[in-house]
Amino acid sequence: MNVAFIINKERCTGCAACADACPKNCISMRADDEGFLYPHIDKASCVRCGKCEQICPVLRVEKKAVTDGAIPQSTPAAYAACNKDEAVRLASSSGGIFTLLAERTLALGGVVFGAAMREDQRSAAHIAAETPQELERLRGSKYMQSDTQGIYKQVKAALQAGRKVLFSGTPCQVEALRAYLGHEDANLLCVDFICHGVPSPKVWNKYVEFREGRAGAPVRRTFSRHKKYGWKTFALLFEFSNNNANVQIFGEDLYMQAFLRNACLRPSCHACSFKKLNRVSDITLADFWGIENIAPDMDDDKGTSLVLVHSEKGDNILREIAPSLRIKPVDTYEALKGNPSMLQSVPPHPRRAEFFANLDTLPFDELVHKFAREPISIKMLASAFLKKIGLFPVAAALYHRMKSFVKKP
Ligand SMILES: Cc1cc2nc3c(=O)[nH]c(=O)nc-3n(C[C@H](O)[C@H](O)[C@H](O)COP(=O)(O)OP(=O)(O)OC[C@H]3O[C@@H](n4cnc5c(N)ncnc54)[C@H](O)[C@@H]3O)c2cc1C
């Protein structure tokens, strides 16, 4: 067994396209101690055909950079958008745009691929949805890496059957699908999102166990973007089989603290190869953080999406669903100021290694309090120093003036 055969571990995204592509079925995905899936190759069956290396999205991006050099970037059109159906918007992470794209696909007799929580709520996996009931399972963000084993084969089969397909996933999953298929298909619409990074499914699983222990009952449903306190102050919902439910604001939720402080992301997310302006997806969706400054008329704190369009197909389909939207064009660079994860990876929490080393032994609350505290940044230390010597107001004014000169590529 050898993981390094395809790519070194820190860079592997766990997309599982290599496992789907292997003609000898000799690649299986196995979880490591942190709970992330990695490919394992059965060397005895491997015929060294190189297919896995050919379709690895990380290796492809690297190779392309070498062969093509620096490609001039084009600016994707950007929009602020909200689904007019308020119930759908409230059940979605941002503006409910994914649901409209998915409903259009189903109405055309197509199939939608996206991430759903598994029945026991302990992990997420990509599934195919063909009915409105199945589509409901795809709605909303699942804050852990979704298992995509076998999904690329299913997408290929649906396209070969001549069906319309919507594939939605992280930027690395969409790149993986494009690499796996190897050619453009008029029936395929790819949607990715601006991705902070994906947390470990094992960490989520430990959190579910912890919450069940506290509640004294098994969990029945979870939802990571509840809008009881608003879209900007989103909250995590846990419903238990004893009919108790609990909604906790993200800033107070232990799991969200570990996630947003980067204590439990996949190693490859800290040097993501797919954070770029021009994507292989047709459309990129995101939360429109900062909408209150850019287009306040589009902000009612119930969820506004940032929609970035990368292709003519994406543009045409957005026009098709426009009657069901409130939509407004915005400046792409202004819009991205509130969402740096489009272009930059986040650094790991300084105590990430200790967090994982203690995951199996410490109770979840102790683990987070000990190893996922707000990291003390150079910025925080510098502000404390400047405040002490009385120069903070001058430095802050200078900093904000410099920030207003945002470089456009
Ligand atoms: C792990 C993660 C990190 C994110 N980071 C950011 C960020 O930094 N900035 C930002 O603006 N937005 C981020 N988002 C995206 C954002 O929250 C919404 O998904 C996006 O705005 C679309 O919202 P919607 O209301 O249109 O549709 P929704 O119905 O909320 O979107 C659901 C879609 O997201 C997909 N999805 C959900 N969970 C996963 C998963 N674990 N893996 C793959 N696909 C998944 C589903 O398949 C479905 O297609 C993140 C989402 C996830 C899952």
Side-chain angles (χ1 to χ4, degrees):
M1 302 284 175
N2 185 1
V3 177
F5 180 71
I6 303 173
I7 190 170
N8 73 38
K9 197 177 170 192
E10 292 72 41
R11 288 157 64 220
C12 174
T13 65
C15 70
C18 54
D20 267 21
C22 176
K24 293 287 170 190
N25 290 324
C26 65
I27 302 180
S28 55
M29 301 299 290
R30 296 185 191 178
D32 72 349
D33 287 346
E34 293 186 348
F36 294 109
L37 293 172
Y38 290 90
H40 284 251
I41 297 159
D42 176 4
K43 277 183 171 171
S45 327
C46 173
V47 292
R48 304 250 183 278
C49 67
K51 187 80 184 155
C52 50
E53 288 174 336
Q54 265 170 38
I55 57 97
C56 171
V58 177
L59 291 178
R60 278 171 76 99
V61 162
E62 257 174 30
K63 207 168 152 195
K64 211 166 167 359
V66 173
T67 52
D68 299 359
I71 304 167
Q73 303 254 295
S74 58
T75 304
Y79 301 88
C82 301
N83 191 329
K84 282 182 185 167
D85 184 330
E86 194 163 306
V88 169
R89 193 152 65 101
L90 288 172
S92 305
S93 297
S94 54
I97 312 305
F98 162 73
T99 295
L100 277 175
L101 296 169
E103 284 170 348
R104 171 197 170 269
T105 308
L106 295 189
L108 294 169
V111 48
V112 180
F113 293 88
M117 290 306 289
R118 288 195 168 108
E119 217 54 59
D120 64 3
Q121 301 294 309
R122 284 167 189 271
S123 57
H126 263 60
I127 62 160
E130 308 210 23
T131 63
Q133 292 72 29
E134 285 167 346
L135 185 58
E136 259 178 51
R137 293 187 57 201
L138 304 190
R139 200 172 290 137
S141 294
K142 289 89 194 172
Y143 287 132
M144 73 221 66
Q145 184 161 32
S146 169
D147 182 350
T148 44
Q149 291 177 74
I151 212 70
Y152 310 101
K153 280 184 184 165
Q154 287 186 49
V155 171
K156 191 174 183 175
L159 290 171
Q160 280 172 342
R163 299 183 72 184
K164 296 262 182 221
V165 168
L166 165 57
F167 181 86
S168 160
T170 59
C172 53
Q173 290 164 346
V174 171
E175 292 256 4
L177 175 67
R178 292 278 198 211
Y180 177 84
L181 295 173
H183 60 87
E184 171 59 20
D185 191 306
N187 279 335
L188 175 65
L189 176 73
C190 286
V191 176
D192 68 353
F193 48 82
I194 297 184
C195 181
H196 179 82
V198 285
S200 153
K202 181 175 171 183
V203 174
W204 170 259
N205 200 12
K206 291 274 175 195
Y207 185 50
V208 172
E209 272 173 19
F210 172 80
R211 293 293 302 267
E212 287 181 339
R214 286 275 166 104
V219 67
R220 190 171 57 197
R221 186 169 90 95
T222 57
F223 181 53
S224 301
R225 294 293 299 263
H226 204 283
K227 296 179 181 173
K228 179 178 176 183
Y229 305 104
W231 161 58
K232 290 169 203 148
T233 322
F234 67 87
L236 223 83
L237 164 82
F238 266 77
E239 267 176 25
F240 298 94
S241 61
N242 59 5
N243 290 331
N244 284 343
N246 171 268
V247 182
Q248 195 154 246
I249 291 167
F250 72 92
E252 286 163 14
D253 183 88
L254 290 167
Y255 181 78
M256 291 308 290
Q257 286 177 41
F259 167 35
L260 295 174
R261 290 177 187 163
N262 312 324
C264 57
L265 300 182
R266 190 175 178 102
S268 61
C269 297
H270 298 299
C272 175
S273 307
F274 311 107
K275 292 196 176 291
K276 50 191 175 183
L277 195 59
N278 298 133
R279 306 267 175 117
V280 300
S281 61
D282 298 293
I283 291 175
T284 298
L285 297 176
D287 289 284
F288 204 137
W289 301 133
I291 187 67
E292 63 279 14
N293 304 318
I294 295 175
D297 54 316
M298 292 292 291
D299 177 28
D300 56 4
D301 204 19
K302 291 178 182 167
T304 306
S305 292
L306 168 59
V307 183
L308 296 156
V309 181
H310 303 289
S311 69
E312 201 181 327
K313 193 194 292 177
D315 185 53
N316 290 337
I317 292 174
L318 189 63
R319 278 171 208 278
E320 257 182 61
I321 62 165
S324 307
L325 293 172
R326 282 199 303 122
I327 186 161
K328 188 172 193 171
V330 292
D331 179 87
T332 306
Y333 300 100
E334 283 297 315
L336 288 178
K337 277 184 189 170
N339 228 322
S341 288
M342 177 78 180
L343 302 172
Q344 289 162 22
S345 302
V346 291
H349 190 282
R351 305 194 76 179
R352 181 189 181 283
E354 290 165 276
F355 180 91
F356 275 106
N358 290 279
L359 178 61
D360 288 327
T361 47
L362 284 185
F364 203 85
D365 49 353
E366 210 179 308
L367 182 77
V368 173
H369 290 140
K370 249 181 152 163
F371 301 115
R373 278 178 194 279
E374 189 77 67
I376 298 173
S377 64
I378 293 176
K379 198 170 148 191
M380 281 160 79
L381 283 174
S383 329
F385 175 71
L386 287 167
K387 273 179 191 155
K388 208 171 169 189
I389 62 171
L391 280 178
F392 183 76
V394 183
L398 255 171
Y399 173 74
H400 286 296
R401 267 190 83 179
M402 276 164 63
K403 243 182 101 181
S404 63
F405 295 105
V406 170
K407 246 182 150 182
K408 296 184 180 182

